[in-house]
PDB file of all heavy atoms in Angstrom:
ATOM      1  N   LEU A  60      12.077  12.362  -1.957  1.00  0.00           N
ATOM      2  CA  LEU A  60      13.241  11.818  -2.654  1.00  0.00           C
ATOM      3  C   LEU A  60      13.285  10.262  -2.468  1.00  0.00           C
ATOM      4  O   LEU A  60      12.291   9.669  -1.819  1.00  0.00           O
ATOM      5  CB  LEU A  60      14.568  12.311  -2.117  1.00  0.00           C
ATOM      6  CG  LEU A  60      14.530  12.575  -0.534  1.00  0.00           C
ATOM      7  CD1 LEU A  60      15.859  12.225   0.008  1.00  0.00           C
ATOM      8  CD2 LEU A  60      14.179  14.032  -0.228  1.00  0.00           C
ATOM      9  N   HIS A  61      14.187   9.679  -3.077  1.00  0.00           N
ATOM     10  CA  HIS A  61      14.319   8.180  -3.032  1.00  0.00           C
ATOM     11  C   HIS A  61      14.618   7.606  -1.671  1.00  0.00           C
ATOM     12  O   HIS A  61      15.021   8.402  -0.773  1.00  0.00           O
ATOM     13  CB  HIS A  61      15.447   7.682  -3.996  1.00  0.00           C
ATOM     14  CG  HIS A  61      15.077   8.047  -5.516  1.00  0.00           C
ATOM     15  ND1 HIS A  61      14.878   7.082  -6.479  1.00  0.00           N
ATOM     16  CD2 HIS A  61      14.933   9.196  -6.118  1.00  0.00           C
ATOM     17  CE1 HIS A  61      14.627   7.687  -7.531  1.00  0.00           C
ATOM     18  NE2 HIS A  61      14.606   8.991  -7.428  1.00  0.00           N
ATOM     19  N   ALA A  62      14.412   6.385  -1.518  1.00  0.00           N
ATOM     20  CA  ALA A  62      14.598   5.711  -0.203  1.00  0.00           C
ATOM     21  C   ALA A  62      15.988   5.787   0.219  1.00  0.00           C
ATOM     22  O   ALA A  62      16.381   5.756   1.441  1.00  0.00           O
ATOM     23  CB  ALA A  62      14.100   4.299  -0.220  1.00  0.00           C
ATOM     24  N   ASN A  63      16.907   5.819  -0.727  1.00  0.00           N
ATOM     25  CA  ASN A  63      18.367   5.848  -0.441  1.00  0.00           C
ATOM     26  C   ASN A  63      18.844   7.303  -0.156  1.00  0.00           C
ATOM     27  O   ASN A  63      20.071   7.523   0.118  1.00  0.00           O
ATOM     28  CB  ASN A  63      19.178   5.188  -1.515  1.00  0.00           C
ATOM     29  CG  ASN A  63      18.894   5.824  -2.840  1.00  0.00           C
ATOM     30  OD1 ASN A  63      18.203   6.925  -2.860  1.00  0.00           O
ATOM     31  ND2 ASN A  63      19.370   5.253  -3.893  1.00  0.00           N
ATOM     32  N   GLY A  64      17.974   8.264  -0.180  1.00  0.00           N
ATOM     33  CA  GLY A  64      18.332   9.576   0.093  1.00  0.00           C
ATOM     34  C   GLY A  64      18.864  10.484  -1.156  1.00  0.00           C
ATOM     35  O   GLY A  64      19.122  11.569  -1.039  1.00  0.00           O
ATOM     36  N   THR A  65      18.883   9.797  -2.228  1.00  0.00           N
ATOM     37  CA  THR A  65      19.228  10.482  -3.494  1.00  0.00           C
ATOM     38  C   THR A  65      17.976  10.896  -4.252  1.00  0.00           C
ATOM     39  O   THR A  65      16.840  10.754  -3.770  1.00  0.00           O
ATOM     40  CB  THR A  65      20.104   9.524  -4.346  1.00  0.00           C
ATOM     41  OG1 THR A  65      19.247   8.441  -4.759  1.00  0.00           O
ATOM     42  CG2 THR A  65      21.311   9.058  -3.660  1.00  0.00           C
ATOM     43  N   CYS A  66      18.213  11.573  -5.413  1.00  0.00           N
ATOM     44  CA  CYS A  66      17.161  12.016  -6.191  1.00  0.00           C
ATOM     45  C   CYS A  66      17.437  11.733  -7.714  1.00  0.00           C
ATOM     46  O   CYS A  66      18.550  11.369  -8.025  1.00  0.00           O
ATOM     47  CB  CYS A  66      16.790  13.485  -6.020  1.00  0.00           C
ATOM     48  SG  CYS A  66      18.339  14.508  -6.165  1.00  0.00           S
ATOM     49  N   SER A  67      16.375  11.858  -8.444  1.00  0.00           N
ATOM     50  CA  SER A  67      16.584  11.555  -9.897  1.00  0.00           C
ATOM     51  C   SER A  67      17.501  12.594 -10.542  1.00  0.00           C
ATOM     52  O   SER A  67      17.569  13.774 -10.185  1.00  0.00           O
ATOM     53  CB  SER A  67      15.195  11.597 -10.601  1.00  0.00           C
ATOM     54  OG  SER A  67      14.385  10.543 -10.112  1.00  0.00           O
ATOM     55  N   PRO A  68      18.237  12.190 -11.564  1.00  0.00           N
ATOM     56  CA  PRO A  68      19.283  12.975 -12.257  1.00  0.00           C
ATOM     57  C   PRO A  68      18.740  14.284 -12.782  1.00  0.00           C
ATOM     58  O   PRO A  68      19.320  15.377 -12.609  1.00  0.00           O
ATOM     59  CB  PRO A  68      19.722  12.074 -13.383  1.00  0.00           C
ATOM     60  CG  PRO A  68      19.404  10.645 -12.976  1.00  0.00           C
ATOM     61  CD  PRO A  68      18.238  10.790 -12.119  1.00  0.00           C
ATOM     62  N   HIS A  69      17.592  14.188 -13.478  1.00  0.00           N
ATOM     63  CA  HIS A  69      17.092  15.392 -14.178  1.00  0.00           C
ATOM     64  C   HIS A  69      16.646  16.427 -13.084  1.00  0.00           C
ATOM     65  O   HIS A  69      16.447  17.693 -13.512  1.00  0.00           O
ATOM     66  CB  HIS A  69      15.980  15.055 -15.056  1.00  0.00           C
ATOM     67  CG  HIS A  69      14.922  14.290 -14.520  1.00  0.00           C
ATOM     68  ND1 HIS A  69      15.046  12.851 -14.240  1.00  0.00           N
ATOM     69  CD2 HIS A  69      13.709  14.587 -13.963  1.00  0.00           C
ATOM     70  CE1 HIS A  69      13.900  12.405 -13.741  1.00  0.00           C
ATOM     71  NE2 HIS A  69      13.138  13.432 -13.493  1.00  0.00           N
ATOM     72  N   LEU A  70      16.371  16.055 -11.935  1.00  0.00           N
ATOM     73  CA  LEU A  70      15.910  17.039 -10.930  1.00  0.00           C
ATOM     74  C   LEU A  70      16.900  17.311  -9.869  1.00  0.00           C
ATOM     75  O   LEU A  70      16.774  18.127  -8.976  1.00  0.00           O
ATOM     76  CB  LEU A  70      14.717  16.377 -10.165  1.00  0.00           C
ATOM     77  CG  LEU A  70      13.531  16.137 -11.074  1.00  0.00           C
ATOM     78  CD1 LEU A  70      12.479  15.384 -10.323  1.00  0.00           C
ATOM     79  CD2 LEU A  70      12.956  17.365 -11.601  1.00  0.00           C
ATOM     80  N   ARG A  71      18.143  16.627 -10.013  1.00  0.00           N
ATOM     81  CA  ARG A  71      19.172  16.773  -9.023  1.00  0.00           C
ATOM     82  C   ARG A  71      19.483  18.225  -8.757  1.00  0.00           C
ATOM     83  O   ARG A  71      19.521  18.647  -7.574  1.00  0.00           O
ATOM     84  CB  ARG A  71      20.403  16.091  -9.570  1.00  0.00           C
ATOM     85  CG  ARG A  71      21.270  15.773  -8.369  1.00  0.00           C
ATOM     86  CD  ARG A  71      22.456  14.924  -9.044  1.00  0.00           C
ATOM     87  NE  ARG A  71      23.230  15.733  -9.937  1.00  0.00           N
ATOM     88  CZ  ARG A  71      24.396  16.216  -9.695  1.00  0.00           C
ATOM     89  NH1 ARG A  71      24.968  15.985  -8.588  1.00  0.00           N
ATOM     90  NH2 ARG A  71      25.005  16.983 -10.618  1.00  0.00           N
ATOM     91  N   ASN A  72      19.684  19.070  -9.686  1.00  0.00           N
ATOM     92  CA  ASN A  72      19.989  20.456  -9.543  1.00  0.00           C
ATOM     93  C   ASN A  72      18.903  21.231  -8.728  1.00  0.00           C
ATOM     94  O   ASN A  72      19.189  21.773  -7.651  1.00  0.00           O
ATOM     95  CB  ASN A  72      20.178  21.190 -10.862  1.00  0.00           C
ATOM     96  CG  ASN A  72      21.543  20.804 -11.385  1.00  0.00           C
ATOM     97  OD1 ASN A  72      22.540  20.705 -10.645  1.00  0.00           O
ATOM     98  ND2 ASN A  72      21.623  20.696 -12.761  1.00  0.00           N
ATOM     99  N   GLU A  73      17.755  21.149  -9.219  1.00  0.00           N
ATOM    100  CA  GLU A  73      16.649  21.906  -8.540  1.00  0.00           C
ATOM    101  C   GLU A  73      16.413  21.394  -7.141  1.00  0.00           C
ATOM    102  O   GLU A  73      16.182  22.100  -6.227  1.00  0.00           O
ATOM    103  CB  GLU A  73      15.319  21.703  -9.341  1.00  0.00           C
ATOM    104  CG  GLU A  73      15.290  22.573 -10.658  1.00  0.00           C
ATOM    105  CD  GLU A  73      15.345  24.059 -10.363  1.00  0.00           C
ATOM    106  OE1 GLU A  73      14.633  24.483  -9.408  1.00  0.00           O
ATOM    107  OE2 GLU A  73      16.067  24.727 -11.060  1.00  0.00           O
ATOM    108  N   GLN A  74      16.388  20.044  -7.076  1.00  0.00           N
ATOM    109  CA  GLN A  74      16.107  19.287  -5.731  1.00  0.00           C
ATOM    110  C   GLN A  74      17.133  19.807  -4.707  1.00  0.00           C
ATOM    111  O   GLN A  74      16.716  20.361  -3.656  1.00  0.00           O
ATOM    112  CB  GLN A  74      16.264  17.905  -5.897  1.00  0.00           C
ATOM    113  CG  GLN A  74      16.211  17.188  -4.711  1.00  0.00           C
ATOM    114  CD  GLN A  74      14.867  16.608  -4.379  1.00  0.00           C
ATOM    115  OE1 GLN A  74      14.098  16.300  -5.265  1.00  0.00           O
ATOM    116  NE2 GLN A  74      14.476  16.435  -3.161  1.00  0.00           N
TER     117      GLN A  74
END
Side-chain angles (χ1 to χ4, degrees):
Chain A
L60 39 142
H61 295 244
N63 54 10
T65 62
C66 52
S67 296
H69 53 279
L70 299 173
R71 200 174 63 105
N72 280 323
E73 288 295 319
Q74 173 97 32

